[in-house]
Amino acid sequence: MTAVGHHWRYLAIVEQARALLQDRPVRLVTGAWLDKVPPVSWWPHQDRSGGPVVEQAAHVLDLARHLAGEVTEVTAAGNGTPPPVDGADVDGATAATLRFASGAVGTLAATCVLGWKERAGLEVYADGLALAVTETGLVVRDADGPRTVDSDPETARIAVDQAFIDAVRGDGDDVRVPYAEALRTHAVALAVAEAAATGRTVTPRTAEVSHV
């Protein structure tokens, strides 16, 4: 029994977004994680955290996979300058483009040079529909105009743990991100990091984890 803490999948607004997209193919996604360096010693070191995309923006990439499907191709660039923290060697900013198996395209922007959390979320565009998802709310815009649904992120953080405990006890079966599923998201994050480091187009190695 395994579970990984991609708690955004337990947000009710994410399920609402999936329902709205059910009959509309996704055309474009734009994700961002714009933040500070967390106050833990290992985080700004590439060999310990993997960098901002792997350690932070993976939540956004997981949401992109959840709403738009598998990523088949990644290109990226890092600015090469670490955040202003002693000993840091991770990129201070990364920009990536994504191609999905469905034909959708996307972007991801990540930075850790701020002194606060500016924004973390995903925008999704389909025919006649625009969605903006963050931990704290969903904004929907369609032919009926814009509307907002509020969200409490703490409920999702509790729910992801409770689902695992219930599954272990045999009291439930709501583990939404078992190890193999999380590994597919991790493969996309590693592909972004590799593309930024090498300047090459990278295919996420999801085939290597399909047997897990």
Side-chain angles (χ1 to χ4, degrees):
M1 179 67 65
T2 64
V4 177
H6 282 299
H7 64 280
W8 288 32
R9 294 210 193 191
Y10 288 82
L11 293 168
I13 56 171
V14 169
E15 295 312 301
Q16 292 177 42
R18 277 172 63 86
L20 289 167
L21 292 166
Q22 186 173 2
D23 299 320
R24 307 195 203 206
V26 174
R27 307 288 191 178
L28 172 69
V29 300
T30 64
W33 195 296
L34 314 175
D35 206 343
K36 61 185 181 298
V37 173
V40 288
S41 61
W42 52 266
W43 198 93
H45 301 284
Q46 183 72 31
D47 63 347
R48 301 180 195 177
S49 70
V53 172
V54 173
E55 209 288 319
Q56 282 182 328
H59 287 284
V60 174
L61 291 173
D62 186 72
L63 187 60
R65 288 186 56 246
H66 191 50
L67 297 180
E70 297 299 340
V71 177
T72 59
E73 186 177 282
V74 172
T75 59
N79 78 338
T81 302
V85 174
D86 288 344
D89 62 357
V90 297
D91 267 333
T94 305
T97 59
L98 315 171
R99 185 174 296 278
F100 293 79
S102 65
V105 293
T107 64
L108 174 72
T111 187
C112 58
V113 300
L114 304 176
W116 61 91
K117 187 174 184 178
E118 176 73 12
R119 180 163 59 93
L122 188 75
E123 297 175 7
V124 184
Y125 301 92
D127 294 356
L129 178 67
L131 305 175
V133 185
T134 67
E135 282 190 302
T136 58
L138 168 67
V139 179
V140 181
R141 187 176 182 91
D142 56 17
D144 297 325
R147 55 192 181 275
T148 301
V149 182
D150 292 333
S151 176
D152 177 13
E154 190 61 25
T155 61
R157 296 188 188 106
I158 294 171
V160 67
D161 291 342
Q162 190 64 55
F164 179 65
I165 292 169
D166 290 346
V168 169
R169 288 175 171 169
D171 296 332
D173 184 19
D174 191 28
V175 173
R176 302 182 188 182
V177 190
Y179 186 81
E181 177 66 5
L183 200 54
R184 293 183 181 95
T185 292
H186 187 58
V188 177
L190 291 178
V192 173
E194 181 182 345
T198 64
R200 297 194 299 266
T201 298
V202 177
T203 298
R205 297 179 178 90
T206 51
E208 297 177 11
V209 301
S210 61
H211 66 283
V212 174

